[in-house]
Amino acid sequence: MAKQHHDVTLEWPDADRETRTVAVDEDETVLEAAERADIALPFGCRTGACGTCTGRLLEADGAESAAGDDERGTIDVTDAFSYRRSPRALKDRHRADGYVLLCIASPRVGCRLAVGASVHTELVDNPWK
């Protein structure tokens, strides 16, 4: 039986909206699929503890994220992803705003994500900039 996969489009907001799409198998995380496709994403721990790999859900299964800029949101990040373990680096309000930890998250549907260092800095101030 063939593995099921979901297409995940990665979008770098700080790189003039560069995009790449990767097929993520049902038993792998977005980070693992990106690495398999030679796509570099920031990460630190691979356990959901540090938040370096944070992405922001923009669209899932053709619907805008519930955390979108307008009120058309129809899908929640918890409907779009399952986690291998608890995403300790994200607070409830971050998850409600559509943030997801790519090192431990597997998509349940095809989706589009904002990724890269600028997404992580949306959550925490960077003292080095």
Side-chain angles (χ1 to χ4, degrees):
M1 185 171 173
K3 286 184 177 182
Q4 184 178 11
H5 74 270
H6 298 288
D7 289 335
V8 175
T9 299
L10 307 170
E11 184 175 305
W12 286 260
D14 51 350
D16 292 331
R17 303 277 179 199
E18 176 187 349
T19 63
R20 298 274 308 269
T21 299
V22 61
V24 183
D25 291 337
E26 61 187 347
D27 61 347
E28 71 181 343
T29 67
V30 174
L31 178 62
E32 292 167 342
E35 288 178 324
R36 180 174 40 79
D38 289 328
I39 299 171
L41 292 177
F43 70 92
C45 66
R46 293 185 182 269
T47 63
C50 76
T52 304
C53 66
T54 301
R56 182 170 29 85
L57 183 64
L58 300 172
E59 180 181 331
D61 208 18
E64 296 289 325
S65 168
D69 292 332
D70 58 30
E71 299 299 323
R72 294 179 301 146
T74 57
I75 190 163
D76 189 273
V77 71
T78 57
D79 295 331
F81 289 92
S82 61
Y83 279 114
R84 287 184 174 171
R85 59 180 55 96
S86 176
R88 293 178 292 158
L90 294 180
K91 296 178 178 166
D92 290 343
R93 63 183 163 87
H94 295 146
R95 290 193 294 269
D97 286 344
Y99 291 98
V100 59
L101 297 179
L102 305 180
C103 72
I104 58 170
S106 299
R108 294 179 171 156
V109 296
C111 58
R112 186 168 60 94
L113 294 164
V115 297
S118 67
V119 176
H120 183 251
T121 59
E122 292 172 6
L123 299 178
V124 294
D125 288 332
N126 181 348
W128 307 112
K129 62 180 177 179

